[in-house]
Amino acid sequence: MLNSFLALKNPTLVLFASNMLKSIFHKINRWRFRRNSQRNFLIYCSVFVGFFGGLAAIALKFLVHFMEDVSRRISSHLYYHIAYVFLPALGIFLAVAYQHLINRDKIQKGIGNILINIKKNRSNIRLNNIYSHIFTSSLTVGFGGSAGLEAPIVATGAAIGSNVGKFFKLTPYEKTVLLAAGASAGIAAVFNSPIAGVLFSLEILIGEVTIPTFIPLLIASATGVVVSKLLYSGQLFHLVTEGWVVSAIPFYILLGLLSGYTAIYITKVGGRLEAGIFKKQNRYVRALSGGLILGIIIMLFPALFGEGYHYLQEILNGNIDALKQETLFADWLSQPLLMLLFIGALVLMKIIAAGITLGSGGNGGSFAPTMFTGAFLGLLVAYGVNLTGLVHLNTSNFIAVGMAGALAGVMHAPLTAIFLIAEITGGYVLFIPLMIVASISYIISRLSSPHNIYWQHLVHHNDIHPGQDYGMLNAITLDSIINRNYTAVDKQTTINDFYKILAKTDANIFPVLKEDGRLEGVVLIDDIRRRLFNQEIAESTIADIMIVPPTIIDYDQPASSVMETFDAIDVWQLPVTKDNLFIGFISKSALLSKYREAIISQHKANDLFA
């Protein structure tokens, strides 16, 4: 092993490996351009992304389940499961240490960061995100952190798709498609739900439905499910249902209303806690403090341990007495009213536990906590109504439909919620109740906030908004519209000498540069035209008429940000610098023209799949 490591340090071998990769890349590209259309190549890439996205998802789930089993065995040998107090703190502490010491804080956690990369970074995601989420989220959730694995799985799949696109130098639009394909494969592999995987990416990541995006996503999602079936064949949930009855519709409407308000609660409370707790403390104190608080909550409510899917399956099976396991209140919960209150407490506490997990530095998501909360809300409604003895409701149906209601309200993605629950529970006969509850919850949540849980934080703190304009603009590279044909002047140049320069060019803007190439100012002919031919300033110098530009564009700035800058300061040309050195000008008209070309190009791409 040591010899292998040393061999990697050998510059000759590194150079050889680099040349080999370049050779493979060139051969693939030659094959790609000679024998395949861009449409076909994107499909081949989606199969590759789907395979490895599914593989990563299964590896993560297997690792987390293994660690959860170890944690539960440790806890079972200690008095009153006291291990639940310190195990979550240990997991979060290790995850934070990995992020800080090994990953160097380069991990991009959460689906919100994926959206930022799509909108502002031309769908480029760092390579380390392919593996860093697997380690940190398995440590967090495996030791009891009350969060979901779906966000890390989506982030891992998205990173795979983005980096495949970067390797083959695909356009930002094509990278976005592969990024979404990786996310779809991850969701599909975990839940064995290919349609829900596709809909998740369309509703949450891309925000539009077109054939060029739908087909690669569908192929990647199907590939992820095939990988899941081969390597991890177990179904996440099992539901045996006899269908629904018309007399239960008023109670489904009630569940839809409660789901909408619960979704608002999840978004607000979860969002505040996820923003960070104990902010004045260093990261390790924050991890241990938050982890210990979380541990105390889990000791009181053991169903909050990890993702909580074990207890969710138990209540789907009708085994509500499973909630008494490992609790300090087992005797009390034999009373139906106290059990009802306990279920209500689980509805409220799951998102608090998830927020503490993420706010103290753990890696996970709100997807599973939302499903858990919705499931127990459905149980609360059905169990409470059944206690009255007036009506009997199918508890399993309400649990399944409650999951869809919570997801639709929190994510503002009713189609994803409906098809996900239908696929993972096999409850296709529940389509009408799913539609009723998901749509009511979605409407109520939208009335409270126009943005879902992922966009709400981005809109307020990152000043980006959902919509296609950002994606289309960021498909443009600034290098393609920078005007490098300029005439630089020195600030000591006299106006008389400047006349000679003007006679040889049609430019109306001139950069004033230092000897090292840095920008000092600009001369705008339109602003000084009348003064320029005044004989009183003929002996003056450029320093007397130059101005400091209102702002300077950085070469690596996304095109959407450049357009926002143009709109904000109402100018038509701005200087561009790279590494603090002036390289040219960019005009608003050139950017608008390129934007129009990007729209036409995407329409042509749509026609390829029509």
Side-chain angles (χ1 to χ4, degrees), residues 343-399:
I343 294 169
L346 289 174
V347 172
L348 297 176
M349 292 303 299
K350 180 61 177 179
I351 200 61
I352 293 175
I356 293 172
T357 301
L358 303 180
S360 56
N363 188 11
S366 56
F367 199 104
T370 298
M371 287 180 63
F372 181 99
T373 302
F376 276 83
L377 178 65
L379 174 63
L380 181 70
V381 171
Y383 187 77
V385 170
N386 289 343
L387 281 181
T388 65
L390 301 175
V391 181
H392 179 76
L393 301 178
N394 186 314
T395 304
S396 295
N397 286 1
F398 273 77
I399 292 169

Side-chain angles (χ1 to χ4, degrees), residues 231-275:
L231 302 178
Y232 198 85
S233 59
Q235 184 75 11
L236 190 61
F237 301 121
H238 300 276
L239 172 65
V240 178
T241 178
E242 298 176 355
W244 61 282
V245 293
V246 176
S247 60
I249 286 182
F251 299 101
Y252 284 120
I253 293 173
L254 173 64
L255 179 57
L257 294 170
L258 293 175
S259 296
Y261 291 110
T262 301
I264 296 171
Y265 166 77
I266 291 172
T267 302
K268 291 186 176 179
V269 174
R272 289 176 184 174
L273 289 172
E274 287 178 31

Side-chain angles (χ1 to χ4, degrees), residues 386-561:
N386 289 343
L387 281 181
T388 65
L390 301 175
V391 181
H392 179 76
L393 301 178
N394 186 314
T395 304
S396 295
N397 286 1
F398 273 77
I399 292 169
V401 174
M403 287 192 278
L407 285 172
V410 170
M411 298 194 305
H412 290 188
L415 288 176
T416 299
I418 291 169
F419 279 91
L420 178 65
I421 302 308
E423 286 184 294
I424 65 177
T425 62
Y428 283 97
V429 294
L430 295 177
F431 247 57
I432 300 303
L434 286 170
M435 292 167 65
I436 291 172
V437 174
S439 58
I440 293 174
S441 176
Y442 170 74
I443 291 169
I444 291 174
S445 180
R446 284 277 302 197
L447 289 174
S448 172
S449 171
H451 306 295
N452 64 28
I453 191 172
Y454 308 120
W455 275 110
Q456 190 164 304
H457 178 79
L458 300 182
V459 169
H460 291 141
H461 299 281
N462 296 82
D463 195 29
I464 65 172
H465 302 266
Q468 199 176 354
D469 282 348
Y470 278 87
M472 299 291 270
L473 280 169
N474 288 332
I476 301 168
T477 57
L478 291 192
D479 193 66
S480 64
I481 54 175
I482 294 174
N483 179 12
R484 301 174 187 271
N485 185 22
Y486 59 86
T487 302
V489 294
D490 185 88
K491 67 178 182 180
Q492 300 303 325
T493 302
T494 64
I495 301 301
N496 277 328
D497 290 336
F498 187 52
Y499 290 155
K500 300 174 185 177
I501 296 173
L502 282 177
K504 298 177 182 180
T505 179
D506 295 328
N508 59 5
I509 185 169
F510 298 83
V512 181
L513 304 181
K514 296 181 179 180
E515 291 182 1
D516 59 3
R518 287 184 296 167
L519 186 71
E520 285 195 276
V522 294
V523 176
L524 295 171
I525 299 302
D526 290 342
D527 288 350
I528 61 166
R529 193 178 299 278
R530 294 180 181 178
R531 292 176 52 215
L532 189 61
F533 297 100
N534 186 337
Q535 290 300 317
E536 294 179 2
I537 68 166
E539 297 303 323
S540 301
T541 63
I542 292 295
D544 298 319
I545 61 171
M546 75 175 188
I547 61 170
V548 176
T551 190
I552 296 173
I553 301 299
D554 186 82
Y555 177 78
D556 294 321
Q557 201 168 326
S560 58
S561 174

